[in-house]
Amino acid sequence: MTKNTGWGLVVAAAACVLATPVVVWWLVGDLSVAAPPSTELDRAIHPPAIGEGAEHAIGIAAALVTAGTLALLVLASRRRRFDRRWWAALLPALAAGAIAGAGGRVITAGTLGANIGAGLTIILGGPLVALLLLWAIGWSLRLLLSRGSRSLT
């Protein structure tokens, strides 16, 4: 295997980690309550002002990136071109992204009154995402600093 392929796997892993929260955010969709048009909804944080068409295009692009990069990494892992020990760092990072994407929809949901889900997401989801990312970083450093693993391959 050439060194260029190793960098390709690094880029694929990074793209997968970055696209996962976006695709989960898109798949969850708007969680705002149904209210009469004259009613103003309360929001903990306002969602980004993105048109429905742009949101759909971004979601599809993120889904394609996530699916494609995951397929590439699984295939490379099965062919022993991707060190399987890296999954112990990649999977927690993907889980953290998924939680962040879903949590983003909960926090930006419009409600009638207090958004209790936003508070729970911040109190429970925030530390969980932090722990998952700390694990991923720690495991990555462990692999990078070990004698036998200088790259993903």
Side-chain angles (χ1 to χ4, degrees):
M1 180 175 149
T2 65
K3 295 202 183 269
N4 291 341
T5 307
W7 279 110
L9 294 175
V10 171
V11 170
C16 191
V17 168
L18 293 174
T20 297
V22 177
V23 73
V24 170
W25 175 83
W26 175 64
L27 289 172
V28 169
D30 187 12
L31 298 176
S32 297
V33 299
S38 61
T39 306
E40 188 171 336
L41 296 175
D42 294 323
R43 296 180 186 274
I45 297 174
H46 285 277
I50 302 174
E52 191 175 319
E55 182 179 315
H56 190 67
I58 291 167
I60 289 175
L64 291 173
V65 168
T66 302
T69 55
L70 269 179
L72 176 72
L73 292 168
V74 167
L75 183 63
S77 185
R78 292 190 65 176
R79 291 181 177 171
R80 303 201 188 283
R81 293 182 179 167
F82 178 68
D83 189 342
R84 293 179 183 191
R85 295 177 295 170
W86 282 99
W87 285 106
L90 186 57
L91 290 176
L94 294 175
I99 293 167
R105 282 298 194 173
V106 172
I107 291 172
T108 59
T111 61
L112 298 172
N115 185 347
I116 295 172
L120 288 174
T121 298
I122 293 167
I123 290 171
L124 300 175
L128 180 57
V129 167
L131 286 173
L132 288 167
L133 290 177
L134 283 173
W135 172 271
I137 292 166
W139 190 262
S140 297
L141 288 173
R142 179 178 183 262
L143 288 176
L144 289 171
L145 296 176
S146 70
R147 288 185 56 141
S149 179
R150 294 284 179 208
S151 69
L152 295 177
T153 57

